[in-house]
Amino acid sequence: MPEGSYELVRTDDGRYTARISARGVSVLGSPMINRGTAFTEAERRELGLTGLLPSGVSTLDGQLRRTYAQFRRAADDLAKWVYLTNLRNRNEVLFYKLLSEHIEEMLPIVYTPTVGLAIEQFSNEFRRPRGVYLSVDHPEEVETALRNTGLGAEDVDLLVATDSEGILGIGDQGVGGIEISVGKLAVYTAAAGIHPNRVLPVVLDVGTDNLNLLNDEMYLGERHARIRDERYDQLIDAYVTACQKLFPNAMLHWEDFGASNARRILDRYATQVCTFNDDMQGTAAVVLAAAFSAVRAAGSRMRDQRVVIHGAGTAGLGIADMMRDQMVREGLSHEEATRRFWPLGRHGILGDDRREHLLDFQVPYARPWDEIKSWGSAGSRPGLADVVRHVQPTMLIGTSTQSGAFTEQIVRDMAAHTDRPIIMPLSNPTSKAEAMPADVLAWTGGRALVATGSPFAPVELDGVTYRIAQANNALVFPGLGLGVTVARASRISDGMIAAAADAVARLSDAGRPGAPLLPPVSDLRPVSAAVAIAVAEAAVTEGLAQAELGNAIQQVHEAMWRPDYPRVEAKPL
């Protein structure tokens, strides 16, 4: 891929060769080809690096040990993020090698939650531009901006775009949201091997309602309130149109959009282009994977579940939608499947008596008021305890951010009516979890099947060590993107996402005492490969694949970039 100073070419043996036309300090300034002290003496002579590096020649493994030690010495998580960012800006292969080797430890640094701190400090700590910045005030420049990357129609597999309204629980962060796109793409590369030269982070700068940013003289984004009228839709449409024109095979990933736009944008474009919203579909898919695993461990089926969801927002009802679709695939009618869910919002259970106050995606799940009005005490609207007592659910899911909402009484009441209660307190961070796994297991005598949104240490109970599954989207979205790339899928279907969830679930044996419902984050590369194979095959089955899929395992394996230094070929000047 041309980058001015070099061309990176993949050869028949699957390795890369860097054909380098730059010399001297220009080589050291190109992160994808710079290997620092790992340049051999011959390479130094050919590339004009003699005398520009210490005499000693390192191996990649030696550099890995050195950089990991430096990373560990960083004073705090933000300092670790800064260290990794600087390493990436200097030597991308070494950065991804380090990240891949220590993915479980470093994922919370390059992505959530630490990247949130970096986003808040973006304008004051700005160092080096990375990605594409598109302004709502200049929609006519969208195509020009994307062209200015120098990337051609066959050069891009994936774009991650955010409008920065709903960043990681810290809300509207304006132009600083570019870092969430950058972090997300780092996970795609480390986990699924999507080549870092074939991805683009994008921020859709539509202004900000964050008064701290608007009053900060260092702020680098558009300095006005967030645009919410037709100009917003014009920017989104200009972006999608330009991507279709310039990068027709690329997947468009939407990240951290506000609730009012996330579902609306996905619904508008899902049937037109290959597009995916991780906050809705990725979250739902990894929860569906945990549910698949739990239901198998309980010896049941999805269609037989009675599901109470505490938190009827975009995430909670995105989970409901995906589970409902699975129940339909298992033979229920759409209406029958919808009736298997009892969601609760801030004002209690969703009922048709308050239909005018509900969002469009909440309306299908509203229960008839005549059915539920007697559940509350003293005429009050039924709350979570009331709903659990009357529904006797088999599955309880929390996306409410209400700490401790799953009380001992509620959990014991649920466990009294089902042998293996499936309980998922998914709210992040830990301080907002609806229950602690240790409490849930203690209250159910170890019978509960548990998945959480935050990482938790194993729980010891009655001689059994229970490893707690973390419903981390990273178990799904990297492999989904890789599968879409291998199959050249024209769009992403519900069946492809369900196939991804099933692939994740099959990598955990939850039937064993204490086994987690999901594979660990430390296994992200093999998990991503398994997900990619399942997604690519589903795309073929549904007629959405535009590439030939002969041997899916081999094709996925070959498509996964591994962070190793390319061969060097000095082009004549």
Side-chain angles (χ1 to χ4, degrees), residues 259-282:
S260 62
N261 287 317
R263 182 178 291 263
R264 186 174 66 86
I265 291 172
L266 183 65
D267 288 346
R268 178 175 179 181
Y269 295 107
T271 59
Q272 302 176 33
V273 297
C274 184
T275 189
F276 173 74
N277 184 303
D278 187 50
D279 304 298
M280 293 170 53
Q281 295 167 295

PDB file of all heavy atoms in Angstrom, residues 259-282:
ATOM      1  N   ALA A 259     -28.392   7.687  22.292  1.00  0.00           N
ATOM      2  CA  ALA A 259     -29.536   6.785  22.121  1.00  0.00           C
ATOM      3  C   ALA A 259     -30.507   7.272  21.052  1.00  0.00           C
ATOM      4  O   ALA A 259     -31.118   6.472  20.344  1.00  0.00           O
ATOM      5  CB  ALA A 259     -30.264   6.617  23.457  1.00  0.00           C
ATOM      6  N   SER A 260     -30.656   8.576  20.912  1.00  0.00           N
ATOM      7  CA  SER A 260     -31.632   9.106  19.959  1.00  0.00           C
ATOM      8  C   SER A 260     -31.211   8.883  18.513  1.00  0.00           C
ATOM      9  O   SER A 260     -32.052   8.916  17.602  1.00  0.00           O
ATOM     10  CB  SER A 260     -31.852  10.608  20.203  1.00  0.00           C
ATOM     11  OG  SER A 260     -30.646  11.324  20.007  1.00  0.00           O
ATOM     12  N   ASN A 261     -29.930   8.654  18.282  1.00  0.00           N
ATOM     13  CA  ASN A 261     -29.439   8.489  16.901  1.00  0.00           C
ATOM     14  C   ASN A 261     -28.946   7.086  16.581  1.00  0.00           C
ATOM     15  O   ASN A 261     -28.974   6.677  15.419  1.00  0.00           O
ATOM     16  CB  ASN A 261     -28.303   9.485  16.634  1.00  0.00           C
ATOM     17  CG  ASN A 261     -28.786  10.903  16.498  1.00  0.00           C
ATOM     18  OD1 ASN A 261     -29.796  11.157  15.848  1.00  0.00           O
ATOM     19  ND2 ASN A 261     -28.101  11.835  17.137  1.00  0.00           N
ATOM     20  N   ALA A 262     -28.461   6.351  17.568  1.00  0.00           N
ATOM     21  CA  ALA A 262     -27.805   5.069  17.297  1.00  0.00           C
ATOM     22  C   ALA A 262     -28.708   4.113  16.530  1.00  0.00           C
ATOM     23  O   ALA A 262     -28.353   3.613  15.449  1.00  0.00           O
ATOM     24  CB  ALA A 262     -27.349   4.431  18.611  1.00  0.00           C
ATOM     25  N   ARG A 263     -29.884   3.854  17.073  1.00  0.00           N
ATOM     26  CA  ARG A 263     -30.795   2.910  16.425  1.00  0.00           C
ATOM     27  C   ARG A 263     -31.338   3.471  15.116  1.00  0.00           C
ATOM     28  O   ARG A 263     -31.475   2.756  14.126  1.00  0.00           O
ATOM     29  CB  ARG A 263     -31.943   2.555  17.374  1.00  0.00           C
ATOM     30  CG  ARG A 263     -32.922   1.533  16.804  1.00  0.00           C
ATOM     31  CD  ARG A 263     -34.000   1.210  17.813  1.00  0.00           C
ATOM     32  NE  ARG A 263     -33.486   0.485  18.937  1.00  0.00           N
ATOM     33  CZ  ARG A 263     -33.542  -0.847  19.069  1.00  0.00           C
ATOM     34  NH1 ARG A 263     -34.080  -1.577  18.110  1.00  0.00           N
ATOM     35  NH2 ARG A 263     -33.079  -1.435  20.147  1.00  0.00           N
ATOM     36  N   ARG A 264     -31.607   4.758  15.095  1.00  0.00           N
ATOM     37  CA  ARG A 264     -32.163   5.393  13.893  1.00  0.00           C
ATOM     38  C   ARG A 264     -31.198   5.278  12.714  1.00  0.00           C
ATOM     39  O   ARG A 264     -31.597   4.951  11.589  1.00  0.00           O
ATOM     40  CB  ARG A 264     -32.460   6.866  14.217  1.00  0.00           C
ATOM     41  CG  ARG A 264     -33.166   7.638  13.142  1.00  0.00           C
ATOM     42  CD  ARG A 264     -33.507   9.027  13.666  1.00  0.00           C
ATOM     43  NE  ARG A 264     -32.315   9.821  13.935  1.00  0.00           N
ATOM     44  CZ  ARG A 264     -31.682  10.548  13.026  1.00  0.00           C
ATOM     45  NH1 ARG A 264     -32.135  10.566  11.763  1.00  0.00           N
ATOM     46  NH2 ARG A 264     -30.616  11.258  13.335  1.00  0.00           N
ATOM     47  N   ILE A 265     -29.911   5.521  12.972  1.00  0.00           N
ATOM     48  CA  ILE A 265     -28.914   5.434  11.906  1.00  0.00           C
ATOM     49  C   ILE A 265     -28.753   3.997  11.440  1.00  0.00           C
ATOM     50  O   ILE A 265     -28.695   3.717  10.227  1.00  0.00           O
ATOM     51  CB  ILE A 265     -27.572   6.012  12.389  1.00  0.00           C
ATOM     52  CG1 ILE A 265     -27.690   7.527  12.566  1.00  0.00           C
ATOM     53  CG2 ILE A 265     -26.444   5.675  11.420  1.00  0.00           C
ATOM     54  CD1 ILE A 265     -26.489   8.164  13.224  1.00  0.00           C
ATOM     55  N   LEU A 266     -28.680   3.076  12.390  1.00  0.00           N
ATOM     56  CA  LEU A 266     -28.517   1.672  12.011  1.00  0.00           C
ATOM     57  C   LEU A 266     -29.713   1.202  11.179  1.00  0.00           C
ATOM     58  O   LEU A 266     -29.539   0.550  10.142  1.00  0.00           O
ATOM     59  CB  LEU A 266     -28.357   0.797  13.258  1.00  0.00           C
ATOM     60  CG  LEU A 266     -28.101  -0.681  12.987  1.00  0.00           C
ATOM     61  CD1 LEU A 266     -26.764  -0.888  12.285  1.00  0.00           C
ATOM     62  CD2 LEU A 266     -28.135  -1.472  14.297  1.00  0.00           C
ATOM     63  N   ASP A 267     -30.920   1.532  11.620  1.00  0.00           N
ATOM     64  CA  ASP A 267     -32.114   1.111  10.889  1.00  0.00           C
ATOM     65  C   ASP A 267     -32.144   1.704   9.481  1.00  0.00           C
ATOM     66  O   ASP A 267     -32.607   1.062   8.533  1.00  0.00           O
ATOM     67  CB  ASP A 267     -33.376   1.532  11.650  1.00  0.00           C
ATOM     68  CG  ASP A 267     -33.606   0.710  12.907  1.00  0.00           C
ATOM     69  OD1 ASP A 267     -32.951  -0.345  13.055  1.00  0.00           O
ATOM     70  OD2 ASP A 267     -34.424   1.128  13.754  1.00  0.00           O
ATOM     71  N   ARG A 268     -31.633   2.920   9.343  1.00  0.00           N
ATOM     72  CA  ARG A 268     -31.684   3.580   8.033  1.00  0.00           C
ATOM     73  C   ARG A 268     -30.754   2.922   7.025  1.00  0.00           C
ATOM     74  O   ARG A 268     -31.097   2.783   5.845  1.00  0.00           O
ATOM     75  CB  ARG A 268     -31.325   5.055   8.190  1.00  0.00           C
ATOM     76  CG  ARG A 268     -31.319   5.801   6.862  1.00  0.00           C
ATOM     77  CD  ARG A 268     -31.072   7.278   7.053  1.00  0.00           C
ATOM     78  NE  ARG A 268     -31.055   7.991   5.767  1.00  0.00           N
ATOM     79  CZ  ARG A 268     -30.840   9.289   5.635  1.00  0.00           C
ATOM     80  NH1 ARG A 268     -30.634  10.029   6.709  1.00  0.00           N
ATOM     81  NH2 ARG A 268     -30.831   9.847   4.441  1.00  0.00           N
ATOM     82  N   TYR A 269     -29.570   2.508   7.488  1.00  0.00           N
ATOM     83  CA  TYR A 269     -28.551   2.056   6.541  1.00  0.00           C
ATOM     84  C   TYR A 269     -28.306   0.550   6.531  1.00  0.00           C
ATOM     85  O   TYR A 269     -27.581   0.056   5.658  1.00  0.00           O
ATOM     86  CB  TYR A 269     -27.224   2.777   6.831  1.00  0.00           C
ATOM     87  CG  TYR A 269     -27.291   4.267   6.589  1.00  0.00           C
ATOM     88  CD1 TYR A 269     -27.310   5.161   7.657  1.00  0.00           C
ATOM     89  CD2 TYR A 269     -27.354   4.786   5.299  1.00  0.00           C
ATOM     90  CE1 TYR A 269     -27.372   6.534   7.449  1.00  0.00           C
ATOM     91  CE2 TYR A 269     -27.418   6.154   5.082  1.00  0.00           C
ATOM     92  CZ  TYR A 269     -27.438   7.021   6.159  1.00  0.00           C
ATOM     93  OH  TYR A 269     -27.507   8.372   5.940  1.00  0.00           O
ATOM     94  N   ALA A 270     -28.888  -0.188   7.464  1.00  0.00           N
ATOM     95  CA  ALA A 270     -28.550  -1.607   7.607  1.00  0.00           C
ATOM     96  C   ALA A 270     -28.844  -2.428   6.358  1.00  0.00           C
ATOM     97  O   ALA A 270     -28.135  -3.394   6.061  1.00  0.00           O
ATOM     98  CB  ALA A 270     -29.283  -2.203   8.805  1.00  0.00           C
ATOM     99  N   THR A 271     -29.871  -2.055   5.627  1.00  0.00           N
ATOM    100  CA  THR A 271     -30.214  -2.822   4.422  1.00  0.00           C
ATOM    101  C   THR A 271     -29.529  -2.274   3.176  1.00  0.00           C
ATOM    102  O   THR A 271     -29.649  -2.858   2.103  1.00  0.00           O
ATOM    103  CB  THR A 271     -31.735  -2.828   4.201  1.00  0.00           C
ATOM    104  OG1 THR A 271     -32.198  -1.473   4.069  1.00  0.00           O
ATOM    105  CG2 THR A 271     -32.449  -3.487   5.379  1.00  0.00           C
ATOM    106  N   GLN A 272     -28.808  -1.152   3.318  1.00  0.00           N
ATOM    107  CA  GLN A 272     -28.173  -0.523   2.158  1.00  0.00           C
ATOM    108  C   GLN A 272     -26.679  -0.809   2.069  1.00  0.00           C
ATOM    109  O   GLN A 272     -26.137  -0.968   0.974  1.00  0.00           O
ATOM    110  CB  GLN A 272     -28.378   0.999   2.218  1.00  0.00           C
ATOM    111  CG  GLN A 272     -29.826   1.445   2.272  1.00  0.00           C
ATOM    112  CD  GLN A 272     -29.931   2.954   2.430  1.00  0.00           C
ATOM    113  OE1 GLN A 272     -29.101   3.699   1.925  1.00  0.00           O
ATOM    114  NE2 GLN A 272     -30.954   3.415   3.139  1.00  0.00           N
ATOM    115  N   VAL A 273     -26.010  -0.840   3.225  1.00  0.00           N
ATOM    116  CA  VAL A 273     -24.554  -1.002   3.245  1.00  0.00           C
ATOM    117  C   VAL A 273     -24.169  -2.004   4.330  1.00  0.00           C
ATOM    118  O   VAL A 273     -24.986  -2.399   5.156  1.00  0.00           O
ATOM    119  CB  VAL A 273     -23.836   0.339   3.516  1.00  0.00           C
ATOM    120  CG1 VAL A 273     -24.111   1.323   2.399  1.00  0.00           C
ATOM    121  CG2 VAL A 273     -24.256   0.938   4.855  1.00  0.00           C
ATOM    122  N   CYS A 274     -22.902  -2.380   4.320  1.00  0.00           N
ATOM    123  CA  CYS A 274     -22.384  -3.297   5.330  1.00  0.00           C
ATOM    124  C   CYS A 274     -22.057  -2.479   6.570  1.00  0.00           C
ATOM    125  O   CYS A 274     -21.014  -1.818   6.644  1.00  0.00           O
ATOM    126  CB  CYS A 274     -21.138  -3.998   4.793  1.00  0.00           C
ATOM    127  SG  CYS A 274     -20.485  -5.243   5.907  1.00  0.00           S
ATOM    128  N   THR A 275     -22.933  -2.494   7.557  1.00  0.00           N
ATOM    129  CA  THR A 275     -22.809  -1.595   8.697  1.00  0.00           C
ATOM    130  C   THR A 275     -23.166  -2.295   9.999  1.00  0.00           C
ATOM    131  O   THR A 275     -23.927  -3.268  10.005  1.00  0.00           O
ATOM    132  CB  THR A 275     -23.693  -0.350   8.473  1.00  0.00           C
ATOM    133  OG1 THR A 275     -23.412   0.618   9.482  1.00  0.00           O
ATOM    134  CG2 THR A 275     -25.163  -0.703   8.519  1.00  0.00           C
ATOM    135  N   PHE A 276     -22.605  -1.772  11.105  1.00  0.00           N
ATOM    136  CA  PHE A 276     -22.683  -2.457  12.392  1.00  0.00           C
ATOM    137  C   PHE A 276     -22.569  -1.431  13.509  1.00  0.00           C
ATOM    138  O   PHE A 276     -21.740  -0.515  13.439  1.00  0.00           O
ATOM    139  CB  PHE A 276     -21.524  -3.460  12.473  1.00  0.00           C
ATOM    140  CG  PHE A 276     -21.346  -4.147  13.797  1.00  0.00           C
ATOM    141  CD1 PHE A 276     -22.219  -5.143  14.198  1.00  0.00           C
ATOM    142  CD2 PHE A 276     -20.287  -3.814  14.635  1.00  0.00           C
ATOM    143  CE1 PHE A 276     -22.038  -5.804  15.411  1.00  0.00           C
ATOM    144  CE2 PHE A 276     -20.096  -4.462  15.836  1.00  0.00           C
ATOM    145  CZ  PHE A 276     -20.972  -5.460  16.235  1.00  0.00           C
ATOM    146  N   ASN A 277     -23.417  -1.561  14.531  1.00  0.00           N
ATOM    147  CA  ASN A 277     -23.318  -0.704  15.716  1.00  0.00           C
ATOM    148  C   ASN A 277     -22.939  -1.574  16.904  1.00  0.00           C
ATOM    149  O   ASN A 277     -23.724  -2.403  17.348  1.00  0.00           O
ATOM    150  CB  ASN A 277     -24.643   0.021  15.976  1.00  0.00           C
ATOM    151  CG  ASN A 277     -24.545   0.985  17.142  1.00  0.00           C
ATOM    152  OD1 ASN A 277     -24.196   0.609  18.258  1.00  0.00           O
ATOM    153  ND2 ASN A 277     -24.850   2.246  16.901  1.00  0.00           N
ATOM    154  N   ASP A 278     -21.742  -1.380  17.409  1.00  0.00           N
ATOM    155  CA  ASP A 278     -21.247  -2.264  18.457  1.00  0.00           C
ATOM    156  C   ASP A 278     -21.999  -2.092  19.763  1.00  0.00           C
ATOM    157  O   ASP A 278     -22.218  -3.064  20.487  1.00  0.00           O
ATOM    158  CB  ASP A 278     -19.757  -2.024  18.684  1.00  0.00           C
ATOM    159  CG  ASP A 278     -19.168  -3.044  19.634  1.00  0.00           C
ATOM    160  OD1 ASP A 278     -19.398  -4.252  19.418  1.00  0.00           O
ATOM    161  OD2 ASP A 278     -18.493  -2.652  20.609  1.00  0.00           O
ATOM    162  N   ASP A 279     -22.406  -0.863  20.092  1.00  0.00           N
ATOM    163  CA  ASP A 279     -23.097  -0.633  21.356  1.00  0.00           C
ATOM    164  C   ASP A 279     -24.443  -1.362  21.392  1.00  0.00           C
ATOM    165  O   ASP A 279     -24.881  -1.800  22.460  1.00  0.00           O
ATOM    166  CB  ASP A 279     -23.319   0.869  21.575  1.00  0.00           C
ATOM    167  CG  ASP A 279     -22.008   1.628  21.522  1.00  0.00           C
ATOM    168  OD1 ASP A 279     -21.142   1.365  22.365  1.00  0.00           O
ATOM    169  OD2 ASP A 279     -21.832   2.460  20.616  1.00  0.00           O
ATOM    170  N   MET A 280     -25.067  -1.492  20.241  1.00  0.00           N
ATOM    171  CA  MET A 280     -26.331  -2.212  20.179  1.00  0.00           C
ATOM    172  C   MET A 280     -26.111  -3.680  19.829  1.00  0.00           C
ATOM    173  O   MET A 280     -26.447  -4.581  20.602  1.00  0.00           O
ATOM    174  CB  MET A 280     -27.248  -1.564  19.136  1.00  0.00           C
ATOM    175  CG  MET A 280     -27.715  -0.175  19.507  1.00  0.00           C
ATOM    176  SD  MET A 280     -28.538   0.650  18.126  1.00  0.00           S
ATOM    177  CE  MET A 280     -29.772  -0.566  17.657  1.00  0.00           C
ATOM    178  N   GLN A 281     -25.521  -3.928  18.678  1.00  0.00           N
ATOM    179  CA  GLN A 281     -25.429  -5.300  18.173  1.00  0.00           C
ATOM    180  C   GLN A 281     -24.297  -6.085  18.836  1.00  0.00           C
ATOM    181  O   GLN A 281     -24.446  -7.275  19.114  1.00  0.00           O
ATOM    182  CB  GLN A 281     -25.239  -5.275  16.665  1.00  0.00           C
ATOM    183  CG  GLN A 281     -26.435  -4.704  15.920  1.00  0.00           C
ATOM    184  CD  GLN A 281     -26.112  -4.407  14.470  1.00  0.00           C
ATOM    185  OE1 GLN A 281     -25.281  -3.545  14.180  1.00  0.00           O
ATOM    186  NE2 GLN A 281     -26.756  -5.116  13.553  1.00  0.00           N
ATOM    187  N   GLY A 282     -23.157  -5.432  19.086  1.00  0.00           N
ATOM    188  CA  GLY A 282     -22.053  -6.129  19.725  1.00  0.00           C
ATOM    189  C   GLY A 282     -22.379  -6.520  21.152  1.00  0.00           C
ATOM    190  O   GLY A 282     -22.130  -7.656  21.581  1.00  0.00           O
TER     191      GLY A 282
END
